Coordinates of all heavy atoms in Angstrom, one line a residue:
E127 N 112.7 69.1 138.8 CA 113.6 68.0 138.5 C 112.8 66.9 137.7 O 113.3 66.2 136.8 CB 114.2 67.4 139.8 CG 115.3 68.3 140.3 CD 115.9 67.7 141.5 OE1 115.3 66.9 142.3 OE2 117.1 68.1 141.9
R128 N 111.5 66.7 138.0 CA 110.7 65.8 137.2 C 110.6 66.3 135.8 O 110.6 65.6 134.9 CB 109.3 65.7 137.9 CG 109.3 64.9 139.1 CD 107.9 64.5 139.5 NE 107.0 65.6 139.8 CZ 106.8 66.2 140.9 NH1 107.5 65.8 142.0 NH2 106.0 67.2 141.1
D129 N 110.4 67.6 135.7 CA 110.3 68.3 134.4 C 111.6 68.2 133.6 O 111.5 68.0 132.4 CB 109.8 69.7 134.5 CG 109.0 70.2 133.4 OD1 108.3 69.4 132.8 OD2 109.2 71.4 133.0
W130 N 112.7 68.3 134.2 CA 114.0 68.3 133.5 C 114.2 67.0 132.8 O 114.8 66.9 131.8 CB 115.1 68.5 134.6 CG 115.4 69.9 134.9 CD1 115.0 71.0 134.2 CD2 116.2 70.4 136.0 NE1 115.5 72.1 134.8 CE2 116.2 71.8 135.9 CE3 116.8 69.7 137.0 CZ2 116.9 72.6 136.8 CZ3 117.5 70.5 137.9 CH2 117.5 71.9 137.9
H131 N 113.7 65.9 133.4 CA 113.9 64.6 132.9 C 112.8 64.1 132.0 O 112.6 62.9 131.8 CB 114.2 63.6 133.9 CG 115.5 63.9 134.7 ND1 116.7 63.6 134.1 CD2 115.7 64.4 135.9 CE1 117.7 64.0 135.0 NE2 117.1 64.5 136.0
R132 N 112.1 65.1 131.4 CA 111.0 64.7 130.5 C 111.6 64.0 129.2 O 112.6 64.4 128.7 CB 110.3 66.0 130.0 CG 109.0 65.8 129.3 CD 108.4 67.1 128.9 NE 108.2 68.0 130.0 CZ 107.7 69.2 129.9 NH1 107.6 69.7 128.7 NH2 107.6 70.0 131.0
Q133 N 110.9 62.9 128.8 CA 111.4 62.2 127.7 C 110.5 62.4 126.5 O 109.3 62.5 126.5 CB 111.4 60.7 128.0 CG 112.4 60.4 129.2 CD 112.5 58.9 129.5 OE1 111.6 58.1 129.3 NE2 113.7 58.4 129.9
V134 N 111.2 62.4 125.3 CA 110.5 62.6 124.0 C 111.0 61.5 123.1 O 112.2 61.2 123.0 CB 110.8 64.0 123.5 CG1 110.2 64.1 122.0 CG2 110.2 65.1 124.3
F136 N 111.8 60.2 119.3 CA 112.1 60.8 118.0 C 112.2 59.6 117.0 O 112.7 58.5 117.3 CB 113.5 61.5 118.0 CG 113.5 62.7 118.8 CD1 113.9 62.7 120.1 CD2 113.1 63.9 118.3 CE1 114.0 63.8 120.9 CE2 113.2 65.1 119.1 CZ 113.6 65.0 120.4
A143 N 113.9 56.5 118.9 CA 114.8 56.7 120.0 C 114.1 57.6 121.1 O 113.5 58.6 120.7 CB 116.1 57.4 119.6
V144 N 114.2 57.2 122.3 CA 113.6 57.9 123.4 C 114.7 58.7 124.1 O 115.7 58.1 124.5 CB 112.9 57.1 124.4 CG1 112.4 57.9 125.6 CG2 111.7 56.3 123.8
V145 N 114.6 60.1 124.1 CA 115.7 60.9 124.6 C 115.2 61.7 125.8 O 114.1 62.4 125.8 CB 116.1 61.9 123.5 CG1 117.1 62.9 124.0 CG2 116.7 61.2 122.3
D146 N 116.0 61.6 126.9 CA 115.8 62.5 128.1 C 116.3 63.9 127.7 O 117.4 64.1 127.4 CB 116.6 61.9 129.2 CG 116.5 62.7 130.5 OD1 116.2 63.9 130.4 OD2 116.6 62.1 131.6
L147 N 115.3 64.8 127.7 CA 115.7 66.2 127.2 C 116.8 66.9 128.0 O 117.4 67.8 127.5 CB 114.4 67.1 127.2 CG 113.4 66.6 126.1 CD1 112.2 67.5 126.2 CD2 114.0 66.6 124.7
S148 N 117.0 66.4 129.3 CA 118.1 67.0 130.1 C 119.4 66.7 129.5 O 120.5 67.2 129.9 CB 118.0 66.6 131.5 OG 118.3 65.2 131.7
T149 N 119.5 65.6 128.6 CA 120.8 65.2 128.0 C 121.0 65.7 126.7 O 122.0 65.4 126.0 CB 120.9 63.6 128.0 OG1 119.9 63.2 127.0 CG2 120.5 63.0 129.4
L150 N 120.0 66.5 126.1 CA 120.1 67.0 124.8 C 120.8 68.4 124.8 O 120.2 69.4 125.2 CB 118.8 67.1 124.1 CG 118.7 67.7 122.7 CD1 119.5 66.8 121.7 CD2 117.2 67.7 122.2
E151 N 122.1 68.4 124.3 CA 122.8 69.7 124.4 C 122.6 70.5 123.1 O 122.8 71.8 123.1 CB 124.2 69.5 124.7 CG 125.1 68.8 123.7 CD 126.5 68.6 124.1 OE1 126.8 69.0 125.3 OE2 127.3 68.3 123.2
A152 N 122.4 69.9 122.0 CA 122.3 70.7 120.7 C 121.6 69.8 119.6 O 121.6 68.6 119.7 CB 123.7 71.1 120.2
V153 N 121.1 70.5 118.6 CA 120.7 69.8 117.4 C 121.3 70.5 116.2 O 121.4 71.7 116.1 CB 119.1 70.0 117.3 CG1 118.6 69.3 116.0 CG2 118.4 69.5 118.5
V161 N 120.7 65.9 113.6 CA 121.5 65.1 114.5 C 121.4 65.7 115.9 O 121.6 66.8 116.2 CB 123.1 65.2 114.1 CG1 123.9 64.5 115.1 CG2 123.2 64.7 112.7
L162 N 120.9 64.8 116.8 CA 120.8 65.2 118.2 C 122.1 64.9 118.9 O 122.6 63.8 118.9 CB 119.7 64.3 118.9 CG 118.3 64.3 118.2 CD1 117.4 63.4 119.1 CD2 117.8 65.7 118.0
C163 N 122.7 65.9 119.5 CA 124.0 65.9 120.2 C 123.7 65.7 121.7 O 123.1 66.6 122.3 CB 124.9 67.1 119.9 SG 125.1 67.4 118.1
L164 N 124.1 64.6 122.3 CA 123.8 64.4 123.7 C 125.0 64.7 124.5 O 126.2 64.7 124.1 CB 123.4 62.9 123.9 CG 122.2 62.4 123.0 CD1 121.8 61.0 123.3 CD2 121.0 63.4 123.1
T165 N 124.8 64.9 125.8 CA 125.9 65.3 126.7 C 126.9 64.2 127.0 O 128.0 64.5 127.4 CB 125.2 65.7 128.1 OG1 124.4 64.7 128.6 CG2 124.4 67.0 127.9
D166 N 126.5 62.9 126.7 CA 127.5 61.9 126.9 C 128.3 61.6 125.6 O 129.1 60.6 125.6 CB 126.8 60.6 127.3 CG 125.8 60.1 126.2 OD1 125.7 60.7 125.1 OD2 125.1 59.1 126.5
G167 N 128.2 62.5 124.6 CA 129.0 62.4 123.4 C 128.3 61.7 122.3 O 128.8 61.7 121.1
R168 N 127.2 61.0 122.5 CA 126.5 60.2 121.5 C 125.8 61.3 120.5 O 125.5 62.4 120.9 CB 125.5 59.3 122.0 CG 126.1 58.1 122.7 CD 125.0 57.2 123.2 NE 124.1 57.8 124.2 CZ 122.8 57.7 124.2 NH1 122.1 56.9 123.4 NH2 122.1 58.3 125.2
Q169 N 125.6 60.8 119.3 CA 124.9 61.6 118.3 C 123.9 60.6 117.6 O 124.2 59.6 117.2 CB 125.9 62.1 117.2 CG 126.9 63.1 117.8 CD 127.6 63.8 116.7 OE1 128.3 64.8 117.0 NE2 127.7 63.3 115.5
L170 N 122.6 61.1 117.6 CA 121.5 60.3 117.0 C 121.0 61.1 115.8 O 120.6 62.2 115.9 CB 120.4 60.2 118.1 CG 120.8 59.5 119.4 CD1 119.6 59.5 120.3 CD2 121.4 58.1 119.2
L183 N 110.4 71.0 120.2 CA 111.2 71.3 121.4 C 110.6 72.4 122.2 O 110.6 72.4 123.4 CB 112.7 71.5 121.1 CG 113.5 70.3 120.6 CD1 114.8 70.7 120.1 CD2 113.6 69.3 121.8
S187 N 110.0 70.9 125.7 CA 111.2 70.9 126.5 C 111.1 72.0 127.6 O 110.6 73.1 127.4 CB 112.4 71.3 125.7 OG 113.6 71.4 126.5
P188 N 111.5 71.7 128.8 CA 111.6 72.7 129.9 C 112.8 73.6 129.7 O 113.0 74.6 130.4 CB 111.8 71.9 131.1 CG 112.5 70.6 130.7 CD 112.0 70.3 129.3
F189 N 113.7 73.3 128.7 CA 114.8 74.1 128.4 C 114.6 75.1 127.2 O 113.8 74.7 126.3 CB 116.1 73.3 128.2 CG 116.3 72.3 129.3 CD1 115.9 70.9 129.1 CD2 116.8 72.6 130.5 CE1 116.2 70.0 130.0 CE2 116.9 71.7 131.5 CZ 116.6 70.4 131.3
F191 N 115.9 76.3 123.8 CA 116.8 76.0 122.7 C 116.9 77.2 121.8 O 115.9 77.8 121.3 CB 116.3 74.8 121.9 CG 116.6 73.5 122.6 CD1 115.7 73.0 123.6 CD2 117.7 72.8 122.3 CE1 116.1 71.8 124.3 CE2 118.1 71.6 122.9 CZ 117.2 71.1 123.9
L199 N 120.6 74.4 116.8 CA 119.9 74.8 118.0 C 120.8 74.3 119.2 O 121.3 73.2 119.2 CB 118.6 74.1 118.2 CG 117.5 74.5 117.2 CD1 116.3 73.6 117.3 CD2 117.1 76.0 117.4
V200 N 120.9 75.2 120.2 CA 121.7 74.8 121.4 C 120.8 75.0 122.6 O 120.0 75.8 122.7 CB 123.0 75.6 121.6 CG1 123.9 75.3 120.5 CG2 122.7 77.1 121.7
N201 N 121.0 74.1 123.6 CA 120.3 74.1 124.9 C 121.0 75.2 125.7 O 122.1 75.1 126.1 CB 120.5 72.7 125.6 CG 119.7 72.6 126.9 OD1 119.4 73.6 127.5 ND2 119.4 71.4 127.3
G202 N 120.2 76.2 126.1 CA 120.7 77.3 126.9 C 121.3 76.9 128.2 O 122.2 77.6 128.7
N203 N 120.8 75.8 128.7 CA 121.3 75.4 130.0 C 122.7 74.7 129.9 O 123.4 74.5 130.9 CB 120.3 74.3 130.6 CG 120.3 74.4 132.1 OD1 120.2 75.5 132.7 ND2 120.3 73.2 132.7
E204 N 123.1 74.4 128.6 CA 124.4 73.7 128.4 C 125.5 74.6 127.9 O 126.6 74.2 127.6 CB 124.2 72.6 127.5 CG 123.3 71.5 127.9 CD 123.9 70.8 129.2 OE1 125.1 70.6 129.2 OE2 123.1 70.5 130.1
L215 N 130.0 74.6 124.6 CA 129.1 73.9 125.5 C 129.8 73.3 126.7 O 131.1 73.2 126.7 CB 128.3 72.8 124.8 CG 127.5 73.3 123.5 CD1 126.7 72.2 122.9 CD2 126.6 74.5 123.9
K216 N 129.1 72.9 127.7 CA 129.8 72.4 129.0 C 130.5 71.1 128.7 O 131.5 70.8 129.4 CB 128.7 72.2 130.0 CG 128.1 73.4 130.6 CD 127.0 73.1 131.5 CE 126.3 74.4 132.1 NZ 125.2 74.2 133.0
S217 N 130.1 70.4 127.7 CA 130.8 69.1 127.3 C 132.1 69.4 126.6 O 132.9 68.5 126.4 CB 129.9 68.3 126.4 OG 129.7 69.0 125.1
R219 N 132.0 70.7 123.5 CA 131.6 70.8 122.0 C 131.6 72.3 121.6 O 131.1 73.1 122.4 CB 130.2 70.2 121.8 CG 129.8 70.1 120.3 CD 128.4 69.6 120.2 NE 128.1 68.4 120.9 CZ 128.3 67.1 120.4 NH1 128.8 67.1 119.1 NH2 128.1 66.0 121.0

Side-chain angles (χ1 to χ4, degrees):
E127 288 180 337
R128 288 195 298 272
D129 207 35
W130 276 345
H131 295 287
R132 193 182 302 173
Q133 295 183 328
V134 173
F136 296 93
V144 177
V145 176
D146 182 332
L147 293 179
S148 69
T149 69
L150 179 58
E151 65 177 13
V153 182
V161 178
L162 307 183
C163 304
L164 307 184
T165 53
D166 62 5
R168 289 184 298 142
Q169 297 189 163
L170 303 177
L183 288 172
S187 177
F189 308 105
F191 281 84
L199 292 172
V200 297
N201 183 340
N203 213 48
E204 293 298 320
L215 305 185
K216 293 176 181 177
S217 66
R219 189 187 303 274

